[in-house]
């Protein structure tokens, strides 16, 4: 990688971190709820007597476990996407070498 590419990547990374920090700073005191909680509130507003027709197969011991599983899922997804991009780049690179 050239020095110019590394500098560009670092600048873009700094901009992304800055945007994330600005978003968190500008919304101080707000609560970041998940989609499950918002859906449950919407259902209860529409039909207060609603009873769920399905339950979780496994009761997780706490919120930390849910976060762990979410991070694990995100990590596996990132690995799959990274492998896919790496495969495509390598295939293109080595097919040019074989053609020569």
């Amino acid at each position: 990688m050239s020095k110019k590419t590394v500098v560009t990547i670092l600048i873009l990374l700094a901009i992304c971190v800055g945007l994330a920090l600005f978003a968190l700073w500008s919304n101080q005191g707000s609560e970041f709820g998940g989609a499950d909680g918002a859906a449950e509130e919407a259902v209860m507003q529409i039909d207060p007597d609603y009873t769920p027709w399905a339950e979780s197969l496994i009761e997780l011991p706490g919120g930390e476990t849910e976060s762990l599983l979410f991070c694990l899922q995100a990590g596996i997804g990132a690995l799959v996407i990274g492998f896919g991009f790496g495969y495509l780049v390598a295939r293109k690179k080595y097919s040019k070498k074989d053609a020569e």
Side-chain angles (χ1 to χ4, degrees):
M1 237 188 291
S2 70
K3 185 176 181 180
K4 183 178 179 181
T5 305
V6 171
V7 170
T8 303
I9 290 172
L10 290 176
I11 289 172
L12 291 173
L13 184 63
I15 290 171
C16 289
V17 169
L19 286 172
L21 291 175
F22 176 74
L24 291 173
W25 177 76
S26 65
N27 291 322
Q28 289 179 356
S30 63
E31 183 157 336
F32 296 99
D36 293 341
E40 183 180 353
E41 287 177 16
V43 168
M44 288 302 158
Q45 285 179 356
I46 294 170
D47 184 9
D49 298 328
Y50 176 77
T51 55
W53 53 273
E55 293 180 11
S56 296
L57 297 175
I58 301 170
E59 288 296 323
L60 299 175
E64 297 85 15
T65 309
E66 290 178 14
S67 296
L68 171 70
L69 291 175
F70 180 75
C71 290
L72 183 63
Q73 177 185 0
I76 290 171
L79 283 172
V80 168
I81 290 172
F83 177 80
F85 280 129
Y87 176 78
L88 292 174
V89 168
R91 183 177 69 175
K92 183 177 178 182
K93 178 180 174 183
Y94 289 117
S95 68
K96 285 183 180 178
K97 284 185 179 179
D98 290 341
E100 293 175 356

